[in-house]
Amino acid sequence: MISPLALTMGEPAGIGGEITLKAWRDHRQELPGFFLIDCPDRISRLASQLGWTVPVCPIEQANDAHDVFPDALPILEHPVTAGTPGQLSKHTAKSVITSIERAVSLTRSGEAAGVVTNPIHKHNLHQAGFNFPGHTEFLADLAGINTPPIMMLACDELRVVPLTVHVSLRDAIEELTTDLIVEKCKITARSLQERAGIKTPKLAIAGLNPHAGEDGDMGWEEIDMITPAIEQLKADGLDVFGPLPPDTMFHQEARQTYDVAMCMYHDQALIPIKTLAFDLGVNVTLGLPFIRTSPDHGTALGIAGTGQASENSLCAALKMAGEMAQRQLETQS
C-alpha cells in the first residue's frame, strides 16, 4: 500500500476547503488515502457554515491518515488565521506557503506518497513577499533542482505541455530556444515513462506561427529553432514529430496520434485542454524528485463559501497522484 497523499490547504479565501470536504464526503471510496494540511477547526466551521455533515479528525503524523480516512477527513494540524470565503487577507499567506513546504517535506521523507496542491492566489502571496511566479517554480526551488520545472495538463483525452508558461506572449517568444525545447521534451518523455507507464512516449511538437510558418512565409521560428530541436531529439532516440500547425493538431482524430502535445506558449496548450475537460483537467509538475498534481483551476473567489464549486478536478488530481505513486512503487520493487 502506498503512503497517504499530502493535500495542501491552498488559499483560505478560495474554494480549496470546500472542494476537499466534497471530495472526501462524496468520493472517498474511489480515492486514494489522503490527508489535508490545514486547521481542523477552520475546516469544521466551513462544513457547518455550508450545512454539510463531514466529520474531521486531527492527526499528528501522516501515517495516521489511513486508519482515519474511512470514517473522517484526516487533517494534519496547521496554524492558520481563519480566512473569510471570498475575502483575501495577506495574514494567511505564511500559512499557505508553509503548508506547501510541509507537504513537500513529508513526501521527500517518504511519509507521504505525493503532493496534491489546492489552488493558491499568487497575487496575494506576492504581496506578502512570495518571490515565485507560482506553485511550479516554488516546488522546483524546494526540490533544489536546476532544470526548468515543467507543467503538464492532463485529462483522459489529452496531455499538453506549455514550453513557456506564466510570461507575456512577447516574452514567451523571446524565451524559446532549440535547447529549451530539447531539454523539456526529454524531461517530459522520461516522466511519462517512469510515472505514466508509457514505454516509448510519442511527442507531437506544435509550431509557433500560423500554419507552422508555412515554409517561412509566416515566420522563421519553425525553420530556425523548432525543426533543429526535433532533429536533435530524433537523433537521441525520442519519438517526436512536427512542427504541426497548431489549429489542426487537437481534433479527435489527431489526438490519437500522440501521447503529449508540446506547445510553444501557455494559451496554445491550455485552451484545448480546458475546452475538452474544464472540470476534469489535472496539473502535473514534471521533472521533480517527487509526485505533484493539482486541480486545473484557480481559487474561484467569486463562488467561495457557496458550496457550488466542483470537486471533480481535485478528485482527478488525487486519483492521478495515487496512480503515479503506485506505478512508481511497482517500478522500484
Side-chain angles (χ1 to χ4, degrees), residues 163 175-187 203 205-206 221 225-227 229-230 233 262 264:
L163 294 171
E175 280 188 15
L176 285 168
T177 64
T178 296
D179 287 346
L180 180 143
I181 296 169
V182 168
E183 182 176 26
K184 292 199 173 186
C185 284
K186 286 183 175 181
I187 293 171
L203 280 62
I205 313 297
E221 285 84 1
M225 175 176 59
I226 301 174
T227 296
I230 293 171
L233 288 163
M262 307 299 294
M264 296 297 124

Side-chain angles (χ1 to χ4, degrees), residues 187-203:
I187 293 171
T188 300
R190 185 169 63 248
S191 295
L192 290 177
Q193 289 172 327
E194 294 174 353
R195 293 179 178 170
I198 303 173
K199 185 175 180 181
T200 307
K202 195 172 188 68
L203 280 62

Side-chain angles (χ1 to χ4, degrees), residues 21-35:
L21 288 164
K22 290 172 78 172
W24 183 88
R25 183 192 67 183
D26 299 339
H27 306 279
R28 63 185 179 277
Q29 293 85 355
E30 62 203 58
L31 294 176
F34 68 88
F35 60 92

Side-chain angles (χ1 to χ4, degrees), residues 218-270:
M218 298 184 185
W220 287 91
E221 285 84 1
E222 285 77 11
I223 295 171
D224 294 341
M225 175 176 59
I226 301 174
T227 296
I230 293 171
E231 292 172 349
Q232 183 175 334
L233 288 163
K234 286 181 176 179
D236 290 339
L238 274 72
D239 189 353
V240 302
F241 65 102
L244 302 176
D247 61 339
T248 60
M249 64 182 289
F250 295 110
H251 63 83
Q252 185 174 4
E253 185 177 349
R255 295 197 305 271
Q256 309 312 308
T257 65
Y258 56 82
D259 294 303
V260 59
M262 307 299 294
C263 302
M264 296 297 124
Y265 55 92
H266 182 277
D267 285 6
Q268 190 183 66
L270 271 70

Side-chain angles (χ1 to χ4, degrees), residues 315-330:
C315 290
L318 288 162
K319 288 179 183 178
M320 186 173 292
E323 290 166 0
M324 293 168 70
Q326 184 63 44
R327 193 171 291 113
Q328 185 170 272
L329 180 65
E330 292 168 357

